Amino acid sequence: MASVESPVAHLVEFRVLGPLEVLAAGRPVRLGGPRQRAVLAVLLGHAGEIVPADRLIDDIWDEPPETAANVVQGYVSQLRRSLGRDVIATRGRDYAIRLADGALDLHRFERLAAGAVAALDEGRPADASSELRSALSLWRGPALSDLRDVAGVARIADRLDELRDAALERRIEADLACGRHAEAVAELAALVAKHPLRERLRALQMRALYRSGRQAEALAVYRDTRATLVEQLGIEPGRELQGIERAILGQDPALMASDDAASRRGQTPPSASILVAALAADALPGLVAVAEPLAHGPQRELVVAATVATPDALGPLARSVSELRAQIAARGVTVRAAAFTSRQVGADLVRLAAEQEARLLILDAPAALLDDAELVTVLDAAVCDVAVTVAAGAPGDGPVLVPFSGAAHDWAAVELGAGLAGALGRPVRLAGATVGPRGRDASRLLASASLVIQRGLGIDAEPVLLEPAPEALVDAARGAGIVVCGLTERWRREGLGPARHALASAATVPLLLVRRGLRPGTLAPAESETRFTWTVAAAGG
């Protein structure tokens, strides 16, 4: 097939909301074998970003060959021949895909969904329903269904499917506001059977049944939901479901309101969940001390979880976790707690984070750090941001220190660090090197990052220039109250690296090692639920 050169690049359409497809002038483009297709899928999943070759290598191989960098380069060359030379740009060993406006079906979906969410919030449910139906019509099946056996693509696909689920829930919400209760009851019955642990669907089901005059059935849904959550996860229903049950029992008139704005006043908004999970059960109190500041305020909640290997140890652990939950709740934090048996802790924590729609997963650092198989499972598979905590405990009195080089995981660290600084009332210090790769110091980069977090989060950041040596970073950390540091792109093959390893070895205050996820983070606005990802960089752009 002839290549698509840049003059007709605007005719190229990329599709990820189903099997990977590319159409040029309406005709399918041959994309090569599975790994070459996976390279394109990862680039499309990070459209608008620079993607290091190391990330591509780690995403498409479980055990990369020694020639992986050259193989990726070959895949990119082949894709350029098929798609056009200007579609994939290179910068050294980094790559970026260039897309015309509207060329990616994901972007069209997000645009329609964002407009619909705005319409719903403005009390125009009919418009919202119509736009969400148009957005959902772009889906041709499960996202990237032909490449699910490639780990890096599977993570992207899981997040994309979450977007479809969120948009579907919003569409049903709009339909309810339009008075389509009977239709929603039938549709929700099938969806709940398919996704029994998705609490938002259960909340919509209760609302639809109540508006259809089936109050007893609505309350039965709550009882069934509670029994399912307790049995499978050891956790109580969240604030939204509890609020709807109270409203039904109290015959709250807002539950029957046809006006969407009035209806929204009668419901409890969903919370942004922060999952605190311990690989070692005795680590929970220290992890809570790190996470709790982030959970204060409206629409935030902590979900605290711990596991044991055998059933005979479950009772004591459950009592301990319940006592911890009561202590946290007494301090005014919305919190739920779970204790369960597990022989695959990493996989179970990934599942729990997905089911609870966590924005952030905070867990303790095992002695082996990145050589620990359970931790690697979490870092590999969790869709949300992950913060691995060394020396967990209450932050000290000093500022929040964030070493920053501009890499993807660094932006997630900046977001988390800024959130902690705001919650603790501490300053943020962004640390960079006195000498960078091009011989310049990092002050320009730190200034750009500071402007972004001021614009996106309203928080100032003080730049700190350090000698490019682990010892200098360790010295700076001694004066901090907490240190938040992004992992490198090469963590799977190279581990922490010298600087982060030095920080972990010398940590006297909490150190959070952050891996950026695909789900919107803790500071993301509520309307970001139908967007693929969100960071302070995106918020400032």
Side-chain angles (χ1 to χ4, degrees):
M1 177 174 287
S3 66
V4 181
E5 298 297 333
S6 57
V8 294
H10 64 285
L11 298 177
V12 180
E13 180 183 357
F14 297 84
R15 296 179 174 182
V16 296
L17 305 182
L20 178 65
E21 288 184 354
V22 178
L23 303 179
R27 297 182 178 181
V29 176
R30 294 180 181 177
L31 300 174
R35 284 208 171 93
Q36 184 167 301
R37 294 167 62 83
V39 167
L40 178 60
V42 173
L43 290 174
L44 290 170
H46 297 279
E49 302 177 34
I50 294 173
V51 181
D54 290 318
R55 180 190 295 176
L56 288 171
I57 291 168
D58 287 337
D59 279 352
I60 66 175
W61 278 287
D62 292 330
E63 296 182 6
E66 292 183 2
T67 59
N70 291 334
V71 175
V72 166
Q73 191 175 38
Y75 289 156
V76 170
S77 296
Q78 292 290 338
L79 288 169
R80 279 177 169 156
R81 279 194 278 272
S82 298
L83 303 174
R85 295 184 180 278
D86 295 336
V87 172
I88 301 177
T90 60
R91 182 184 298 173
R93 284 167 47 87
D94 300 340
Y95 301 95
I97 194 159
R98 296 170 171 171
L99 301 176
D101 185 44
L104 180 61
D105 58 355
L106 168 61
H107 291 167
R108 298 197 300 277
F109 167 84
E110 288 180 316
R111 191 172 301 144
L112 286 166
V117 169
L120 197 56
D121 289 340
E122 292 166 6
R124 296 184 287 112
D127 292 340
S129 176
S130 176
E131 289 193 60
L132 284 165
R133 289 178 190 275
S134 296
L136 290 164
S137 72
L138 296 172
W139 288 78
R140 298 168 289 112
L144 297 168
S145 55
D146 55 329
L147 295 169
R148 291 276 182 154
D149 56 342
V150 181
V153 178
R155 284 191 294 273
I156 293 171
D158 287 344
R159 173 59 186 150
L160 291 173
D161 285 345
E162 282 188 2
L163 300 187
R164 180 184 56 188
D165 292 342
L168 180 58
E169 289 165 355
R170 286 287 193 154
R171 197 265 298 159
I172 294 172
E173 183 182 341
D175 287 349
L176 287 176
C178 293
R180 302 175 187 140
H181 313 139
E183 299 96 319
V185 167
E187 183 176 13
L188 284 163
L191 290 170
V192 165
K194 185 178 179 181
H195 304 288
L197 298 177
R198 196 165 177 95
E199 294 187 44
R200 188 81 61 84
L201 287 174
R202 299 274 197 163
L204 289 168
Q205 187 181 33
M206 291 175 66
R207 195 177 298 277
L209 286 166
Y210 184 81
R211 289 187 177 188
S212 299
R214 298 160 68 176
Q215 174 179 327
E217 291 173 74
L219 292 171
V221 167
Y222 180 83
R223 291 193 297 271
D224 178 68
T225 303
R226 183 181 182 278
T228 301
L229 290 172
V230 170
E231 178 184 353
Q232 296 195 26
L233 302 178
I235 198 168
E236 293 285 336
R239 183 167 58 179
E240 183 180 15
L241 275 174
Q242 293 180 26
I244 293 176
E245 186 207 26
R246 286 193 299 270
I248 291 174
L249 292 172
Q251 302 286 304
D252 188 338
L255 284 173
M256 292 299 295
S258 58
D259 174 69
D260 190 59
S263 173
R264 282 172 174 270
R265 288 194 294 272
Q267 62 180 284
T268 303
S271 297
S273 296
I274 301 165
L275 175 58
V276 179
L279 296 176
D282 60 359
L284 266 183
L287 293 173
V288 166
V290 171
E292 188 174 323
L294 294 168
H296 284 278
Q299 298 184 39
R300 297 284 180 89
E301 74 166 351
L302 283 183
V303 177
V304 178
T307 67
V308 288
T310 58
D312 60 319
L314 183 58
L317 176 66
R319 288 190 291 274
S320 174
V321 170
S322 180
E323 291 172 2
L324 180 60
R325 187 205 64 79
Q327 294 168 11
I328 299 168
R331 296 192 287 269
V333 175
T334 300
V335 58
R336 292 182 289 151
F340 54 94
T341 61
S342 175
R343 295 188 180 276
Q344 295 180 311
V345 178
D348 280 337
L349 294 183
V350 169
R351 176 178 62 91
L352 187 61
E355 289 166 348
Q356 295 302 309
E357 300 181 62
R359 300 285 188 90
L360 172 67
L361 168 55
I362 299 180
L363 72 167
D364 50 317
L369 289 174
L370 299 188
D371 290 328
D372 183 90
E374 301 295 353
L375 176 58
V376 169
T377 296
V378 172
L379 291 173
D380 262 333
V383 177
C384 62
D385 290 352
V386 178
V388 183
T389 310
V390 181
D397 295 331
V400 178
L401 178 68
V402 183
F404 186 77
S405 64
H409 300 307
D410 286 355
W411 280 110
V414 165
E415 179 185 348
L416 179 53
L420 283 166
L424 295 168
R426 311 277 175 78
V428 179
R429 289 183 180 169
L430 296 180
T434 54
V435 180
R438 299 181 182 178
R440 295 178 174 178
D441 65 41
S443 59
R444 295 166 184 80
L445 178 64
L446 300 182
S448 297
S450 177
L451 290 171
V452 166
I453 64 173
Q454 287 176 55
R455 180 181 178 185
L457 304 173
I459 294 174
D460 293 326
E462 174 188 345
V464 178
L465 292 177
L466 304 173
E467 292 297 320
E471 297 80 9
L473 191 55
V474 170
D475 286 342
R478 291 193 180 102
I482 188 169
V483 181
V484 186
C485 185
L487 291 175
T488 72
E489 293 290 348
R490 301 175 299 279
W491 67 264
R492 290 177 181 86
R493 282 172 287 127
E494 299 181 11
L496 292 180
R500 292 164 184 80
H501 190 273
L503 281 174
S505 300
T508 56
V509 298
L511 165 67
L512 277 59
L513 300 166
V514 181
R515 190 230 61 186
R516 177 188 175 189
L518 297 173
R519 184 178 284 161
T522 54
L523 300 180
E527 60 269 21
S528 66
E529 68 178 345
T530 52
R531 289 179 56 180
F532 182 68
T533 190
W534 186 92
T535 66
V536 290

